[in-house]
Amino acid sequence: KVFFKLNEEYVSGMLACAIYNQKQEKILPAVDADEVGKEASVNVASKIGYNTYKIDLNELKISKGMYTLEVVTGKNEKQFLKFYVE
């Protein structure tokens, strides 16, 4: 599982999430938001303040290797998290 937290300072809105493998192929995860519940799409609701999210990698059936999580906020700001799956 991958957990991440985002501080939305000014506006509530939507986040777009995607995971990229080593070949830069896009994988679309289901994201579990703290107050919204599981979202089946890549667009996830966010509220003003701290938002916590979880992605269950077992559901994606991804293989061993390096991956990059890309999160794009409603203000079109991109944040990245690199992680390794064993």
Side-chain angles (χ1 to χ4, degrees), residues 9 15 17 27 29 38 40-41 49 51 66 79-80 82 86:
E9 296 176 347
L15 298 177
C17 297
I27 302 166
K38 184 167 271 188
S41 94
N51 297 270
M66 287 295 297
Q79 297 189 16
F80 300 93
K82 285 192 169 249
E86 290 192 310

Side-chain angles (χ1 to χ4, degrees), residues 34-60:
D34 58 351
E35 296 200 7
V36 179
K38 184 167 271 188
E39 298 278 338
S41 94
V42 295
N43 293 319
V44 181
S46 68
K47 59 182 176 41
I48 295 175
Y50 284 101
N51 297 270
T52 56
Y53 303 95
K54 174 178 68 176
I55 299 173
D56 188 352
L57 299 175
N58 291 327
E59 293 178 1
L60 299 176

Side-chain angles (χ1 to χ4, degrees), residues 8-77:
E8 198 62 69
E9 296 176 347
Y10 304 110
V11 294
S12 58
M14 300 298 284
L15 298 177
C17 297
I19 294 175
Y20 294 90
N21 64 16
Q22 294 170 334
K23 298 177 185 176
Q24 294 302 307
E25 298 168 329
K26 186 186 278 190
I27 302 166
L28 301 178
V31 179
D32 193 359
D34 58 351
E35 296 200 7
V36 179
K38 184 167 271 188
E39 298 278 338
S41 94
V42 295
N43 293 319
V44 181
S46 68
K47 59 182 176 41
I48 295 175
Y50 284 101
N51 297 270
T52 56
Y53 303 95
K54 174 178 68 176
I55 299 173
D56 188 352
L57 299 175
N58 291 327
E59 293 178 1
L60 299 176
K61 296 179 174 65
I62 58 177
S63 58
K64 181 191 280 189
M66 287 295 297
Y67 292 86
T68 302
L69 170 65
E70 176 188 63
V71 178
V72 182
T73 69
K75 296 180 280 184
N76 211 25
E77 297 173 336

